[in-house]
Amino acid sequence: QVQLVESGGGLVRAGGSLTLSCAASGSIFSINVMGWFRQTPGKQRELVAAITRGGIPNYADSVKDRYTIARNNAKNTVYLQMNSRKPEDTAVYYCNTKLVQRNGGYLAVWGQGTLVTVSS
């Protein structure tokens, strides 16, 4: 079974930077999209950023000028660099991957989530 291991979460002051990493391991045929979502109490889980295998990114409007997503296909790892952090960025961030199965189907896999806190 494929697992996602997230790292890099923690506390950062407003205006600071933080980078999250997510590495996929296990039986992997191919990975299509990798990305990050976030969730706060009382709100739906929302897309932060995603990137295709070919390197095409997609960002939420609230972070598009401050965050950068990248991936290393050889290591099955996705990174999220978060600059100019704001208190409203505080949330649990979840890594997500869309796996390509050998039969041509797709399977979404989620990480456990990592808490990122931005202090005022």
Side-chain angles (χ1 to χ4, degrees), residues 13-90:
R13 295 184 63 184
S17 299
L18 197 66
T19 299
L20 302 180
S21 298
C22 174
S25 62
S27 181
I28 300 174
F29 177 70
S30 182
I31 299 177
N32 182 246
V33 177
M34 303 186 76
W36 291 91
F37 290 71
R38 67 185 181 187
Q39 187 170 23
T40 56
K43 292 187 176 183
Q44 298 289 325
R45 188 173 299 183
E46 64 177 356
L47 173 69
V48 178
I51 185 169
T52 68
R53 184 173 182 84
I56 301 175
N58 182 40
Y59 298 97
D61 289 340
S62 61
V63 306
K64 64 188 305 180
D65 295 326
R66 300 180 294 117
Y67 289 15
T68 301
I69 189 169
R71 64 188 289 174
N72 186 323
N73 292 333
K75 296 182 177 181
N76 293 320
T77 301
V78 63
Y79 308 91
L80 183 67
Q81 181 177 335
M82 304 177 289
N83 299 322
S84 302
R85 297 282 296 180
K86 303 176 180 180
E88 53 263 39
D89 291 326
T90 296

